[in-house]
Amino acid sequence: MTTILHNLQGIVTPADTVGWELNIQAGVALALEDGRIRAIDTPEKLQEMFADARRIDGAGCWALPGFVDPHTHPVFFKTREGEFSLRVMGKSYEEIAAAGGGIRNSVRVFRQASFDELSELTYQRIRRFLEYGTTTIEAKSGYGLSLEDELKSLRILKKVAELLPITIVPTFLGAHEVPDEYQRDREKYVDLIINEMIPRVAEEKLAEFCDVFCEKDVFTVAQSERILLAAKDHGLQPKLHADELFYTGGAELAAKVGAISADHLLKISAEGIRSMADAGVVPVLLPGTTFFLGKSGYAPARQMIDAGMPVAIATDFNPGSSMTQNMQLMLTLSALYLKMTSAEVITAATRNAARAIAREDRVGTLETGKDADIVLLDIPGHEYLPYHYGVNHVRKVIRHGRVVFERQA
Ligand code: IZC
Ligand code: ZN
């Protein structure tokens, strides 16, 4: 059965597999079939080709590829607004973490919560990504930090992916923090990750990627390397939280181990940029986190673009340092603080984001053969999208050819 998506202003999509040009076509319609884009042409031509097609009303919107959010942490129990208030009063994220708050606080409460309770909360949170036009997310474990609790986290993602019309790409992040019981012997926790967690996660096929929070006072470059090489041996592709709060050489490590992405990168070195560019590591920038932590030194996106890197952006949705599912807001922050054009932020949030999670063959552009994951935005043109900020421009979300979210005008 074919469906024609008609009554659009037109489509806006990254033009090619590389570069920053957009392909903007006014007045076209799309034919969708078997969850894929079958054709893009004039409405008259598509009506002729598919005479008995069903129809989806485009409501006069611009159609873009559904947003891809390549860095999120949605599987947690309690929210942390108390720490937010402390930060507003002047305490830093690092001070709160050093006092046993932050991620370790989330881990303590996570372990007390049941699978069903956590599944329901995760379901509700992930549904909100869809409402803001995101049709694919990468999602990390990392609030369990024991073998059973990390497996629990990844199994919850698997269950939610079966219930919601959104694509969830799972990442194992057992190396998110060192839990309380290993604070005195941190290497022993690294051993646990390598010897027990990674083999089980790989065996049960619960994750595609393995990530490490490589940061001062969290995991060192040497520990991160051990973990990521072990992950690679088990078929989990490396990712890294790198050079966020302090320069550690995380970007250079990402290049060395052949990571698919390195994320944050506020403090990346010139050598880090060069080595990541040479190795083809995707830089995933998280301006919402810099904003929400009240910091000023945003990642050097322009230098990365000048070095030919496929910069991607993400929300970093998590209860500590970035409590939002809204990719549209990330476009605005990227424009203002990463100095990216409207065309660049759209490409960073779609095609390049897909590349950061190895989904560029399926999503991230509107072209024949790709998944019919489409967001309809009620805007006069693409330049308007980052400009009118903090609101939701989504009218409809289509995933695999079906309308899965709709908002009245
Ligand atoms: O819960 O604070 N930075 N991971 C690395 C986080 C922030 C999540 C959190
Ligand atoms: Zn993160």
Side-chain angles (χ1 to χ4, degrees):
M1 189 64 186
T2 311
T3 303
I4 297 175
L5 172 58
H6 71 112
N7 189 26
L8 294 169
Q9 284 284 320
I11 65 167
V12 177
T13 174
D16 216 327
T17 52
V18 292
W20 297 97
E21 291 299 313
L22 290 179
N23 169 11
I24 301 170
Q25 293 184 50
V28 294
L30 292 96
L32 316 177
E33 204 174 86
D34 300 329
R36 306 267 175 99
I37 298 171
R38 171 72 193 276
I40 302 174
D41 213 318
T42 62
E44 296 75 23
K45 184 73 192 296
L46 293 181
Q47 191 55 48
E48 198 182 298
M49 287 169 70
F50 307 101
D52 54 2
R54 277 190 296 221
R55 293 159 87 82
I56 295 174
D57 181 3
C61 291
W62 282 97
L64 273 70
F67 297 120
V68 176
D69 191 339
H71 185 137
T72 84
H73 306 247
V75 197
F76 56 89
F77 184 38
K78 290 207 163 41
T79 52
R80 305 206 315 249
E81 55 272 40
E83 291 180 5
F84 175 73
S85 299
L86 290 174
R87 288 200 292 104
V88 169
M89 298 312 292
K91 275 230 180 327
S92 73
Y93 180 84
E94 299 91 308
E95 286 172 317
I96 291 167
I103 299 167
R104 280 156 64 203
N105 172 2
S106 286
V107 170
R108 268 173 239 126
V109 297
F110 183 93
R111 291 173 173 180
Q112 306 303 314
S114 72
F115 182 90
D116 288 347
E117 214 167 10
L118 288 164
S119 296
E120 173 63 20
L121 288 166
T122 303
Y123 176 96
Q124 298 297 345
R125 287 180 195 128
I126 292 182
R127 197 169 61 170
R128 195 169 286 197
F129 284 100
L130 266 183
E131 295 172 7
Y132 282 88
T134 300
T135 45
T136 299
I137 64 169
E138 181 263 13
K140 304 173 196 298
S141 68
Y143 292 109
L145 309 191
S146 69
L147 175 61
E148 278 314 313
D149 288 294
E150 284 297 299
L151 294 174
K152 178 165 82 174
S153 186
L154 293 168
R155 288 176 186 139
I156 287 166
L157 288 171
K158 191 172 170 187
K159 179 179 167 184
V160 172
E162 285 160 8
L163 297 173
L164 274 176
I166 187 168
T167 301
I168 301 177
V169 178
T171 294
F172 168 61
L173 180 57
H176 193 194
E177 178 50 293
V178 176
D180 292 343
E181 66 274 21
Y182 287 98
Q183 284 291 319
R184 292 229 183 80
D185 192 354
R186 303 173 73 88
E187 288 297 327
K188 221 171 140 191
Y189 183 62
V190 175
D191 293 339
L192 177 74
I193 292 172
I194 291 172
N195 298 325
E196 296 187 36
M197 295 189 191
I198 287 172
R200 268 298 282 285
V201 168
E203 187 188 18
E204 293 194 29
K205 296 191 179 353
L206 285 169
E208 275 179 50
F209 302 105
C210 178
D211 195 347
V212 177
F213 190 16
C214 178
E215 182 61 64
K216 180 172 170 286
D217 299 330
V218 194
F219 293 94
T220 65
V221 168
Q223 290 169 335
S224 303
E225 182 170 358
R226 278 178 64 207
I227 293 166
L228 294 175
L229 291 178
K232 244 174 116 163
D233 276 346
H234 283 86
L236 301 174
Q237 257 190 294
K239 271 186 175 279
L240 272 165
H241 285 63
D243 298 328
E244 180 192 0
L245 305 171
F246 296 90
Y247 169 74
T248 65
E252 290 87 337
L253 175 64
K256 187 175 171 194
V257 300
I260 188 160
S261 78
D263 304 25
H264 287 292
L265 305 174
L266 279 65
K267 310 286 190 192
I268 191 171
S269 68
E271 177 53 29
I273 290 179
R274 257 195 310 277
S275 57
M276 276 180 54
D278 285 348
V281 183
V282 178
V284 177
L285 307 185
L286 310 164
T289 309
T290 315
F291 173 77
F292 197 68
L293 292 179
K295 307 228 172 205
S296 53
Y298 284 79
R302 291 262 46 111
Q303 289 177 41
M304 295 174 183
I305 291 169
D306 290 347
M309 299 169 86
V311 169
I313 58 179
T315 60
D316 194 19
F317 174 66
N318 78 75
S321 62
S322 188
M323 189 63 184
T324 185
Q325 289 98 335
N326 185 351
M327 278 294 277
Q328 295 165 70
L329 182 56
M330 298 307 114
L331 302 192
T332 298
L333 296 177
S334 299
L336 285 169
Y337 297 118
L338 304 181
K339 308 294 176 197
M340 293 170 71
T341 66
S342 295
E344 286 169 343
V345 297
I346 288 170
T347 296
T350 55
R351 188 202 67 204
N352 291 356
R355 191 160 157 192
I357 53 173
R359 285 296 186 282
E360 69 272 27
D361 59 333
R362 299 258 41 87
V363 298
T365 61
L366 298 180
E367 55 187 313
T368 305
K370 285 268 181 102
D371 288 354
D373 290 3
I374 303 165
V375 61
L376 302 186
L377 299 173
D378 188 8
I379 52 175
H382 78 276
E383 197 177 7
Y384 189 88
L385 179 56
Y387 157 71
H388 188 169
Y389 79 102
V391 299
N392 191 3
H393 296 290
V394 170
R395 263 309 291 284
K396 294 185 188 182
V397 178
I398 296 165
R399 192 227 182 208
H400 290 182
R402 290 178 31 239
V403 176
V404 295
F405 176 73
E406 194 164 352
R407 209 163 46 84
Q408 292 314 307

